[in-house]
Amino acid sequence: MRASTVLVLVASALMASCATRPDQQQRELLVGQWQHTVGVFGDKRTSAWAFSNDGSFLLTGYSQARGMRAGYVPEGGVWTLNGGTLELRYLPVAQTDGAPPLARTEIRRIVKLTAEEFVSADAKYGIELAYRRVAPQ
């Protein structure tokens, strides 16, 4: 009886470790810096994500048109990854009209995630954005 109990426990532990391994691999792949650039009518827009091991993120970027460059206000928060779903919870941002700070959550579906490319789709509209890994400097 004891041998069968030990065998069941070992098999359960093995199955549990196999079930979490893909999520852990995706998480490790996502950590780092990613960049997306798009051109629209001569206006170049670049956004950059920095995903940290501790579950925090920072979104920065800029727009460049007619030789002028304007940076976006950086946004940060925490992220979680569950299967193919990336949840981004932004920190509250003060409103310019004096209203209480607003926090927001964004859900994105992971379409593709490799060492060099990260493609996600907006959960609401399905709009895909492709990012390239930025080499650490």
Side-chain angles (χ1 to χ4, degrees), residues 88-110:
L88 303 159
R89 288 173 294 190
Y90 290 81
L91 294 174
V93 176
Q95 302 301 301
T96 57
D97 61 1
L102 295 176
R104 66 183 171 97
T105 299
E106 181 180 349
I107 306 294
R108 299 199 62 83
R109 180 176 46 84
I110 304 289

mmCIF file of all heavy atoms in Angstrom, residues 88-110:
data_model
loop_
_atom_site.group_PDB
_atom_site.id
_atom_site.type_symbol
_atom_site.label_atom_id
_atom_site.label_comp_id
_atom_site.label_asym_id
_atom_site.label_seq_id
_atom_site.Cartn_x
_atom_site.Cartn_y
_atom_site.Cartn_z
ATOM 1 N N LEU A 88 -2.043 43.023 -17.944
ATOM 2 C CA LEU A 88 -1.257 44.200 -17.585
ATOM 3 C C LEU A 88 -2.115 45.084 -16.696
ATOM 4 O O LEU A 88 -3.150 45.581 -17.134
ATOM 5 C CB LEU A 88 -0.852 44.957 -18.846
ATOM 6 C CG LEU A 88 -0.078 44.146 -19.875
ATOM 7 C CD1 LEU A 88 -0.177 44.774 -21.243
ATOM 8 C CD2 LEU A 88 1.351 43.985 -19.441
ATOM 9 N N ARG A 89 -1.695 45.270 -15.457
ATOM 10 C CA ARG A 89 -2.416 46.148 -14.531
ATOM 11 C C ARG A 89 -1.582 47.409 -14.347
ATOM 12 O O ARG A 89 -0.525 47.383 -13.721
ATOM 13 C CB ARG A 89 -2.673 45.449 -13.202
ATOM 14 C CG ARG A 89 -3.755 44.371 -13.344
ATOM 15 C CD ARG A 89 -3.875 43.595 -12.102
ATOM 16 N NE ARG A 89 -2.599 42.872 -11.987
ATOM 17 C CZ ARG A 89 -2.349 41.920 -11.132
ATOM 18 N NH1 ARG A 89 -3.237 41.570 -10.271
ATOM 19 N NH2 ARG A 89 -1.178 41.311 -11.107
ATOM 20 N N TYR A 90 -2.070 48.490 -14.923
ATOM 21 C CA TYR A 90 -1.362 49.762 -14.888
ATOM 22 C C TYR A 90 -1.554 50.431 -13.533
ATOM 23 O O TYR A 90 -2.630 50.359 -12.943
ATOM 24 C CB TYR A 90 -1.879 50.693 -15.988
ATOM 25 C CG TYR A 90 -1.510 50.254 -17.375
ATOM 26 C CD1 TYR A 90 -2.235 49.267 -18.038
ATOM 27 C CD2 TYR A 90 -0.430 50.832 -18.034
ATOM 28 C CE1 TYR A 90 -1.901 48.872 -19.318
ATOM 29 C CE2 TYR A 90 -0.087 50.441 -19.317
ATOM 30 C CZ TYR A 90 -0.829 49.459 -19.954
ATOM 31 O OH TYR A 90 -0.488 49.067 -21.220
ATOM 32 N N LEU A 91 -0.522 51.122 -13.057
ATOM 33 C CA LEU A 91 -0.628 51.897 -11.831
ATOM 34 C C LEU A 91 -1.559 53.079 -12.068
ATOM 35 O O LEU A 91 -1.654 53.589 -13.190
ATOM 36 C CB LEU A 91 0.753 52.404 -11.406
ATOM 37 C CG LEU A 91 1.759 51.325 -10.995
ATOM 38 C CD1 LEU A 91 3.120 51.959 -10.751
ATOM 39 C CD2 LEU A 91 1.282 50.591 -9.759
ATOM 40 N N PRO A 92 -2.248 53.541 -11.026
ATOM 41 C CA PRO A 92 -3.146 54.688 -11.200
ATOM 42 C C PRO A 92 -2.385 55.920 -11.691
ATOM 43 O O PRO A 92 -1.261 56.181 -11.273
ATOM 44 C CB PRO A 92 -3.687 54.928 -9.791
ATOM 45 C CG PRO A 92 -3.481 53.657 -9.066
ATOM 46 C CD PRO A 92 -2.255 53.019 -9.674
ATOM 47 N N VAL A 93 -3.022 56.643 -12.601
ATOM 48 C CA VAL A 93 -2.433 57.850 -13.174
ATOM 49 C C VAL A 93 -3.327 59.028 -12.816
ATOM 50 O O VAL A 93 -4.551 58.965 -12.975
ATOM 51 C CB VAL A 93 -2.314 57.723 -14.713
ATOM 52 C CG1 VAL A 93 -1.786 59.004 -15.324
ATOM 53 C CG2 VAL A 93 -1.436 56.546 -15.084
ATOM 54 N N ALA A 94 -2.706 60.097 -12.333
ATOM 55 C CA ALA A 94 -3.468 61.297 -11.975
ATOM 56 C C ALA A 94 -4.115 61.892 -13.219
ATOM 57 O O ALA A 94 -3.508 61.937 -14.291
ATOM 58 C CB ALA A 94 -2.557 62.319 -11.318
ATOM 59 N N GLN A 95 -5.335 62.347 -13.086
ATOM 60 C CA GLN A 95 -6.070 62.959 -14.188
ATOM 61 C C GLN A 95 -5.816 64.462 -14.205
ATOM 62 O O GLN A 95 -5.701 65.101 -13.160
ATOM 63 C CB GLN A 95 -7.572 62.679 -14.038
ATOM 64 C CG GLN A 95 -7.904 61.197 -14.002
ATOM 65 C CD GLN A 95 -7.452 60.480 -15.263
ATOM 66 O OE1 GLN A 95 -7.885 60.823 -16.357
ATOM 67 N NE2 GLN A 95 -6.575 59.514 -15.112
ATOM 68 N N THR A 96 -5.751 65.037 -15.392
ATOM 69 C CA THR A 96 -5.475 66.474 -15.512
ATOM 70 C C THR A 96 -6.647 67.340 -15.070
ATOM 71 O O THR A 96 -6.458 68.503 -14.733
ATOM 72 C CB THR A 96 -5.110 66.829 -16.964
ATOM 73 O OG1 THR A 96 -6.178 66.410 -17.815
ATOM 74 C CG2 THR A 96 -3.818 66.152 -17.386
ATOM 75 N N ASP A 97 -7.847 66.776 -15.047
ATOM 76 C CA ASP A 97 -9.017 67.564 -14.661
ATOM 77 C C ASP A 97 -9.305 67.518 -13.158
ATOM 78 O O ASP A 97 -10.343 67.986 -12.707
ATOM 79 C CB ASP A 97 -10.252 67.112 -15.439
ATOM 80 C CG ASP A 97 -10.619 65.658 -15.171
ATOM 81 O OD1 ASP A 97 -9.928 64.982 -14.368
ATOM 82 O OD2 ASP A 97 -11.592 65.188 -15.779
ATOM 83 N N GLY A 98 -8.403 66.924 -12.386
ATOM 84 C CA GLY A 98 -8.577 66.857 -10.947
ATOM 85 C C GLY A 98 -9.386 65.664 -10.465
ATOM 86 O O GLY A 98 -9.584 65.477 -9.269
ATOM 87 N N ALA A 99 -9.863 64.831 -11.395
ATOM 88 C CA ALA A 99 -10.607 63.628 -11.021
ATOM 89 C C ALA A 99 -9.663 62.649 -10.307
ATOM 90 O O ALA A 99 -8.438 62.752 -10.441
ATOM 91 C CB ALA A 99 -11.207 62.979 -12.259
ATOM 92 N N PRO A 100 -10.205 61.688 -9.563
ATOM 93 C CA PRO A 100 -9.353 60.716 -8.875
ATOM 94 C C PRO A 100 -8.489 59.935 -9.870
ATOM 95 O O PRO A 100 -8.897 59.724 -11.009
ATOM 96 C CB PRO A 100 -10.343 59.780 -8.188
ATOM 97 C CG PRO A 100 -11.655 60.460 -8.223
ATOM 98 C CD PRO A 100 -11.620 61.463 -9.331
ATOM 99 N N PRO A 101 -7.306 59.518 -9.430
ATOM 100 C CA PRO A 101 -6.429 58.732 -10.313
ATOM 101 C C PRO A 101 -7.130 57.462 -10.795
ATOM 102 O O PRO A 101 -7.894 56.856 -10.052
ATOM 103 C CB PRO A 101 -5.234 58.388 -9.432
ATOM 104 C CG PRO A 101 -5.269 59.373 -8.328
ATOM 105 C CD PRO A 101 -6.703 59.738 -8.126
ATOM 106 N N LEU A 102 -6.849 57.100 -12.031
ATOM 107 C CA LEU A 102 -7.461 55.917 -12.621
ATOM 108 C C LEU A 102 -6.434 54.813 -12.828
ATOM 109 O O LEU A 102 -5.347 55.064 -13.343
ATOM 110 C CB LEU A 102 -8.095 56.250 -13.973
ATOM 111 C CG LEU A 102 -9.272 57.219 -13.971
ATOM 112 C CD1 LEU A 102 -9.703 57.518 -15.395
ATOM 113 C CD2 LEU A 102 -10.419 56.642 -13.170
ATOM 114 N N ALA A 103 -6.804 53.613 -12.415
ATOM 115 C CA ALA A 103 -6.000 52.428 -12.721
ATOM 116 C C ALA A 103 -6.741 51.691 -13.833
ATOM 117 O O ALA A 103 -7.957 51.794 -13.953
ATOM 118 C CB ALA A 103 -5.863 51.552 -11.492
ATOM 119 N N ARG A 104 -6.022 50.974 -14.660
ATOM 120 C CA ARG A 104 -6.676 50.212 -15.720
ATOM 121 C C ARG A 104 -5.974 48.877 -15.910
ATOM 122 O O ARG A 104 -4.814 48.713 -15.539
ATOM 123 C CB ARG A 104 -6.734 50.992 -17.022
ATOM 124 C CG ARG A 104 -5.384 51.255 -17.660
ATOM 125 C CD ARG A 104 -5.558 52.123 -18.920
ATOM 126 N NE ARG A 104 -4.279 52.552 -19.431
ATOM 127 C CZ ARG A 104 -3.628 51.945 -20.427
ATOM 128 N NH1 ARG A 104 -4.154 50.912 -21.016
ATOM 129 N NH2 ARG A 104 -2.458 52.396 -20.832
ATOM 130 N N THR A 105 -6.718 47.950 -16.472
ATOM 131 C CA THR A 105 -6.185 46.623 -16.759
ATOM 132 C C THR A 105 -6.364 46.349 -18.241
ATOM 133 O O THR A 105 -7.410 46.654 -18.817
ATOM 134 C CB THR A 105 -6.919 45.548 -15.943
ATOM 135 O OG1 THR A 105 -6.734 45.825 -14.555
ATOM 136 C CG2 THR A 105 -6.385 44.161 -16.246
ATOM 137 N N GLU A 106 -5.333 45.789 -18.844
ATOM 138 C CA GLU A 106 -5.366 45.442 -20.267
ATOM 139 C C GLU A 106 -5.079 43.957 -20.386
ATOM 140 O O GLU A 106 -4.140 43.451 -19.775
ATOM 141 C CB GLU A 106 -4.303 46.255 -21.020
ATOM 142 C CG GLU A 106 -4.263 46.010 -22.495
ATOM 143 C CD GLU A 106 -3.196 46.842 -23.197
ATOM 144 O OE1 GLU A 106 -2.627 47.766 -22.585
ATOM 145 O OE2 GLU A 106 -2.939 46.560 -24.373
ATOM 146 N N ILE A 107 -5.887 43.263 -21.160
ATOM 147 C CA ILE A 107 -5.697 41.832 -21.399
ATOM 148 C C ILE A 107 -5.260 41.656 -22.841
ATOM 149 O O ILE A 107 -5.896 42.174 -23.759
ATOM 150 C CB ILE A 107 -7.003 41.035 -21.161
ATOM 151 C CG1 ILE A 107 -7.571 41.306 -19.772
ATOM 152 C CG2 ILE A 107 -6.781 39.549 -21.403
ATOM 153 C CD1 ILE A 107 -6.729 40.826 -18.639
ATOM 154 N N ARG A 108 -4.153 40.929 -23.036
ATOM 155 C CA ARG A 108 -3.646 40.650 -24.373
ATOM 156 C C ARG A 108 -3.430 39.155 -24.519
ATOM 157 O O ARG A 108 -3.017 38.492 -23.585
ATOM 158 C CB ARG A 108 -2.334 41.403 -24.623
ATOM 159 C CG ARG A 108 -2.531 42.924 -24.513
ATOM 160 C CD ARG A 108 -1.450 43.714 -25.180
ATOM 161 N NE ARG A 108 -1.333 43.513 -26.592
ATOM 162 C CZ ARG A 108 -2.084 44.133 -27.512
ATOM 163 N NH1 ARG A 108 -3.025 44.949 -27.150
ATOM 164 N NH2 ARG A 108 -1.876 43.920 -28.786
ATOM 165 N N ARG A 109 -3.735 38.658 -25.697
ATOM 166 C CA ARG A 109 -3.530 37.240 -26.014
ATOM 167 C C ARG A 109 -2.164 37.108 -26.694
ATOM 168 O O ARG A 109 -1.847 37.858 -27.613
ATOM 169 C CB ARG A 109 -4.648 36.766 -26.949
ATOM 170 C CG ARG A 109 -4.558 35.318 -27.354
ATOM 171 C CD ARG A 109 -5.763 34.905 -28.199
ATOM 172 N NE ARG A 109 -6.109 35.839 -29.252
ATOM 173 C CZ ARG A 109 -5.543 35.859 -30.463
ATOM 174 N NH1 ARG A 109 -4.593 35.008 -30.778
ATOM 175 N NH2 ARG A 109 -5.925 36.750 -31.363
ATOM 176 N N ILE A 110 -1.351 36.181 -26.210
ATOM 177 C CA ILE A 110 -0.045 35.934 -26.825
ATOM 178 C C ILE A 110 -0.271 35.138 -28.113
ATOM 179 O O ILE A 110 -0.794 34.034 -28.086
ATOM 180 C CB ILE A 110 0.893 35.139 -25.883
ATOM 181 C CG1 ILE A 110 1.061 35.842 -24.544
ATOM 182 C CG2 ILE A 110 2.229 34.869 -26.560
ATOM 183 C CD1 ILE A 110 1.856 37.100 -24.577
#
